[in-house]
């Protein structure tokens, strides 16, 4: 099993717009081989730096399935308008990928 996460620092005041982008997206993840589940996670607010931390969290059968998704037309279509929203970010998303330790 493989878990892929992107962490987003969303400027305070843009949280609702950010969530709306995800809630209203045209997702085709379920069509992809190996896709198991998706969650959008809302983390803590960092008042000092002015952002709320979010993470997109997907679970895949394998890292190979995830990589195939990143090279697919479905991936390109899903990210085609990524910069066109009214969401204000602090920096670029931060990717983190994890292989599950079986039996732990």
């Amino acid at each position: 099993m493989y878990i892929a996460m992107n962490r987003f620092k969303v400027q305070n005041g843009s949280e609702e717009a950010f969530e709306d982008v995800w809630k209203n997206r045209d997702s085709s993840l379920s069509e992809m081989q190996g896709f198991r589940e998706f969650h959008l996670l809302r983390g803590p607010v960092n008042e000092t730096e002015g952002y709320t931390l979010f993470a997109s969290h997907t679970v895949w059968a394998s890292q190979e399935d995830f990589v195939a998704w990143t090279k697919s037309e479905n991936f390109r279509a899903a990210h085609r308008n990524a910069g066109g929203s009214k969401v204000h970010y602090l920096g670029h998303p931060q990717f983190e990928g994890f292989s599950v330790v079986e039996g732990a």
Side-chain angles (χ1 to χ4, degrees), residues 57-79:
H57 178 274
T58 53
V59 179
W60 298 84
S62 68
Q63 184 174 2
E64 293 76 19
D65 289 331
F66 169 74
V67 170
W69 150 248
T70 66
K71 295 177 179 180
S72 72
E73 180 54 38
N74 289 10
F75 179 88
R76 285 188 288 284
H79 294 85

Side-chain angles (χ1 to χ4, degrees), residues 25-31 78:
R25 75 193 192 292
D26 184 18
S27 176
S28 59
L29 280 172
S30 62
E31 300 171 9

Side-chain angles (χ1 to χ4, degrees), residues 27-87:
S27 176
S28 59
L29 280 172
S30 62
E31 300 171 9
M32 298 302 300
Q33 178 177 329
F35 172 75
R36 298 291 184 254
E37 58 187 85
F38 169 85
H39 301 280
L40 181 63
L41 310 173
R42 181 190 266 248
V45 175
N46 184 320
E47 292 293 345
T48 306
E49 295 184 32
Y51 69 86
T52 299
L53 184 63
F54 284 87
S56 63
H57 178 274
T58 53
V59 179
W60 298 84
S62 68
Q63 184 174 2
E64 293 76 19
D65 289 331
F66 169 74
V67 170
W69 150 248
T70 66
K71 295 177 179 180
S72 72
E73 180 54 38
N74 289 10
F75 179 88
R76 285 188 288 284
H79 294 85
R80 191 163 286 132
N81 298 317
S85 71
K86 295 179 177 162
V87 178

